[in-house]
Short mmCIF file of all heavy atoms in Angstrom, two decimals:
data_model
loop_
_atom_site.label_atom_id
_atom_site.label_comp_id
_atom_site.label_asym_id
_atom_site.label_seq_id
_atom_site.Cartn_x
_atom_site.Cartn_y
_atom_site.Cartn_z
N LEU A 97 13.58 -4.27 3.28
CA LEU A 97 14.53 -3.41 3.99
C LEU A 97 13.76 -2.54 4.95
O LEU A 97 12.67 -2.04 4.63
CB LEU A 97 15.29 -2.51 3.02
CG LEU A 97 16.43 -3.10 2.24
CD1 LEU A 97 17.01 -2.06 1.29
CD2 LEU A 97 17.52 -3.60 3.15
N GLN A 98 14.30 -2.32 6.12
CA GLN A 98 13.69 -1.40 7.08
C GLN A 98 14.30 -0.03 6.85
O GLN A 98 15.50 0.17 7.01
CB GLN A 98 13.95 -1.87 8.50
CG GLN A 98 13.23 -3.15 8.84
CD GLN A 98 13.49 -3.60 10.26
OE1 GLN A 98 14.44 -3.19 10.89
NE2 GLN A 98 12.63 -4.46 10.76
N LEU A 99 13.45 0.91 6.45
CA LEU A 99 13.91 2.27 6.19
C LEU A 99 13.43 3.18 7.31
O LEU A 99 12.26 3.14 7.69
CB LEU A 99 13.35 2.76 4.85
CG LEU A 99 13.68 1.92 3.62
CD1 LEU A 99 13.01 2.48 2.39
CD2 LEU A 99 15.18 1.84 3.42
N PRO A 100 14.31 4.02 7.85
CA PRO A 100 13.89 4.93 8.92
C PRO A 100 12.98 6.02 8.37
O PRO A 100 13.24 6.58 7.30
CB PRO A 100 15.21 5.50 9.43
CG PRO A 100 16.15 5.37 8.30
CD PRO A 100 15.73 4.16 7.53
N GLN A 101 11.90 6.29 9.10
CA GLN A 101 10.96 7.34 8.70
C GLN A 101 10.73 8.27 9.88
O GLN A 101 10.38 7.82 10.97
CB GLN A 101 9.63 6.75 8.24
CG GLN A 101 8.66 7.83 7.76
CD GLN A 101 7.33 7.27 7.33
OE1 GLN A 101 6.85 6.30 7.90
NE2 GLN A 101 6.74 7.87 6.32
N CYS A 102 10.94 9.55 9.66
CA CYS A 102 10.74 10.56 10.69
C CYS A 102 9.25 10.64 11.02
O CYS A 102 8.42 10.73 10.12
CB CYS A 102 11.26 11.92 10.21
SG CYS A 102 11.04 13.24 11.42
N VAL A 103 8.91 10.61 12.30
CA VAL A 103 7.50 10.65 12.69
C VAL A 103 6.95 12.08 12.68
O VAL A 103 5.76 12.29 12.85
CB VAL A 103 7.26 9.99 14.07
CG1 VAL A 103 7.61 8.52 14.03
CG2 VAL A 103 8.02 10.69 15.16
N ILE A 104 7.82 13.06 12.47
CA ILE A 104 7.40 14.46 12.42
C ILE A 104 7.11 14.88 10.98
O ILE A 104 6.03 15.32 10.65
CB ILE A 104 8.47 15.39 13.04
CG1 ILE A 104 8.83 14.96 14.46
CG2 ILE A 104 8.01 16.84 13.00
CD1 ILE A 104 7.70 14.99 15.44
N CYS A 105 8.12 14.75 10.10
CA CYS A 105 7.98 15.21 8.71
C CYS A 105 7.73 14.07 7.73
O CYS A 105 7.55 14.31 6.55
CB CYS A 105 9.20 16.01 8.28
SG CYS A 105 10.75 15.07 8.24
N PHE A 106 7.72 12.82 8.20
CA PHE A 106 7.47 11.62 7.40
C PHE A 106 8.52 11.39 6.32
O PHE A 106 8.28 10.65 5.37
CB PHE A 106 6.06 11.63 6.78
CG PHE A 106 4.97 11.78 7.78
CD1 PHE A 106 4.17 12.91 7.79
CD2 PHE A 106 4.76 10.81 8.74
CE1 PHE A 106 3.17 13.06 8.72
CE2 PHE A 106 3.75 10.95 9.68
CZ PHE A 106 2.95 12.08 9.67
N LYS A 107 9.66 12.06 6.42
CA LYS A 107 10.74 11.85 5.46
C LYS A 107 11.33 10.46 5.69
O LYS A 107 11.59 10.06 6.82
CB LYS A 107 11.81 12.91 5.63
CG LYS A 107 12.92 12.80 4.62
CD LYS A 107 13.91 13.94 4.74
CE LYS A 107 14.99 13.79 3.67
NZ LYS A 107 15.94 14.88 3.74
N THR A 108 11.56 9.75 4.60
CA THR A 108 12.13 8.41 4.68
C THR A 108 13.59 8.48 4.25
O THR A 108 13.89 8.99 3.17
CB THR A 108 11.37 7.43 3.77
OG1 THR A 108 9.99 7.45 4.15
CG2 THR A 108 11.89 6.03 3.91
N LEU A 109 14.47 7.97 5.07
CA LEU A 109 15.90 7.97 4.78
C LEU A 109 16.30 6.60 4.26
O LEU A 109 15.54 5.64 4.33
CB LEU A 109 16.69 8.32 6.04
CG LEU A 109 16.32 9.62 6.74
CD1 LEU A 109 17.16 9.81 7.99
CD2 LEU A 109 16.48 10.81 5.82
N SER A 110 17.50 6.50 3.75
CA SER A 110 17.99 5.22 3.24
C SER A 110 18.32 4.29 4.40
O SER A 110 18.50 4.72 5.54
CB SER A 110 19.21 5.43 2.37
OG SER A 110 20.30 5.85 3.16
#
Side-chain angles (χ1 to χ4, degrees):
L97 281 177
Q98 292 180 341
L99 303 177
Q101 183 181 35
C102 180
V103 297
I104 305 299
C105 64
F106 304 115
K107 183 176 182 179
T108 304
L109 305 178
S110 69

